[in-house]
Amino acid sequence: MFVVTGATGNVGAELVRALAASGERVRAVSRAGRSEGLPAGVTAVAVDLNRPETVRDALDGVRGLFLMPGYGGQRQILADARAAGVRRVVLLSGLSAGTGDRDNAVAGYLLAAEDAVRASGLDWTFVRPTSFMTNALRLADQIRAGDTVRVPFPDARTTDIDPYDIAQVAQRALLSDGFAGRVLEVTGPEALLPADRVRILGETLGRGLRAVGLGHEEARAEMEATGMPKPYVDAFFRFFVDGTLDESVVLPTVEQITGRSPRTFAQWAEDHAEAFR
């Protein structure tokens, strides 16, 4: 039995499908505990990761735990997992944890999550991806409204990764003893600018989309207007304006672990084209 937290999210949903397809028993844990769309045989469980007591029963008889970062109950959940006999935990972290910058709000919460997992006494693996291809869904309203697409950080070249590939790596880390104590940095197969992704989306949709880069103040205002806390906005500016994080390097990790190349943004766009129409 495996527990997948964040089971309705980008990575969690893909991991639930991957584990179920390989014949494993899965408890899909989310705040709502929705069962709609889950593979046959998967059990949906409603929990609040900030309230460890709601998670405790879901850990009974579990071999491996896929854990989302950034929740207040994490240390107690890990202690309860060890007491329940869970053997290993795979933590979804992020490439920015590799900067070691605890003053950065994003890197800081990832590092705190990694610290808690290291201290848990469980076998652990950290999966540190670059930015998700699914972040492009934030552009959907603009694309439906017209052909001009405003993008922040227009000069930031990143190797965005399909959550499908993150899940494939996480699945293997959960099922194998060979990844204990390892940090797996995973990227997509190509470094693209925001304008490249807009162009690819346009090609997929049969439209001539044009990217327009936002100035720094415009980008900051728009990010804060969406409800992103200011410390997180500051964190992304440190990454992509000050250059404290380099997501432009293609790493071979996905292919080394799964035996195939990670999916391209064009493949992701084709699969998600309806979201932009």
Side-chain angles (χ1 to χ4, degrees):
M1 176 69 75
F2 293 89
V3 163
V4 176
T5 66
T8 58
N10 290 315
V11 178
E14 294 283 6
L15 180 55
V16 167
R17 285 191 284 270
L19 287 168
S22 65
E24 303 295 340
R25 294 187 301 145
V26 183
R27 289 189 185 126
V29 166
S30 65
R31 186 180 292 272
R34 294 197 307 270
S35 59
E36 298 86 350
L38 291 177
V42 172
T43 303
V45 182
V47 306
D48 181 347
L49 295 179
N50 288 311
R51 298 174 55 215
E53 68 275 10
T54 68
V55 184
R56 199 164 290 136
D57 288 346
L59 299 170
D60 184 48
V62 168
R63 172 183 169 192
L65 168 66
F66 177 75
L67 189 61
M68 300 292 290
Y71 290 89
Q74 182 168 294
R75 286 186 180 270
Q76 187 60 54
I77 290 169
L78 289 163
D80 291 341
R82 186 176 182 185
V86 175
R87 291 177 53 193
R88 66 172 55 99
V89 57
V90 174
L91 176 73
L92 179 63
S93 184
L95 200 67
S96 66
T99 67
D101 185 0
R102 295 180 183 272
D103 293 329
N104 181 291
V106 173
Y109 90 79
L110 295 173
L111 286 163
E114 291 186 0
D115 289 345
V117 171
R118 281 194 177 96
S120 69
L122 297 169
D123 286 346
W124 57 264
T125 305
F126 301 151
V127 181
R128 292 179 178 173
T130 51
S131 299
F132 292 5
M133 290 180 183
T134 45
N135 290 344
L137 292 170
R138 299 170 185 167
L139 305 176
D141 287 344
Q142 289 191 69
I143 289 172
R144 283 192 291 266
D147 291 339
T148 300
V149 184
R150 293 157 51 87
V151 294
F153 312 124
D155 299 322
R157 194 178 294 274
T158 57
T159 52
D160 290 13
I161 186 168
D162 190 331
Y164 172 87
D165 289 316
I166 303 171
Q168 292 295 307
V169 170
Q171 178 197 26
R172 286 158 176 80
L174 281 169
L175 295 178
S176 170
D177 294 330
F179 299 98
R182 291 182 59 183
V183 176
L184 306 176
E185 295 186 337
V186 294
T187 75
E190 56 195 344
L192 298 176
L193 293 169
D196 296 324
R197 286 185 285 274
V198 170
R199 172 183 52 78
I200 291 168
L201 285 167
E203 292 169 354
T204 301
L205 299 169
R207 293 172 54 190
L209 301 180
R210 182 175 69 93
V212 175
L214 294 172
H216 293 340
E217 292 309 312
E218 290 178 296
R220 182 178 290 277
E222 289 201 5
M223 292 167 75
E224 291 182 359
T226 65
M228 183 180 291
K230 186 178 182 301
Y232 281 45
V233 176
D234 292 342
F236 286 108
F237 268 78
R238 290 185 68 177
F239 293 155
F240 299 126
V241 176
D242 299 339
T244 63
L245 177 65
D246 183 4
E247 289 197 350
S248 69
V249 179
V250 175
L251 298 175
T253 317
V254 171
E255 185 165 6
Q256 288 172 344
I257 291 174
T258 68
R260 55 158 190 81
S261 298
R263 289 163 54 83
T264 65
F265 186 74
Q267 289 173 302
W268 179 89
E270 187 67 34
D271 286 348
H272 295 82
E274 288 306 313
F276 297 92
R277 291 192 169 112

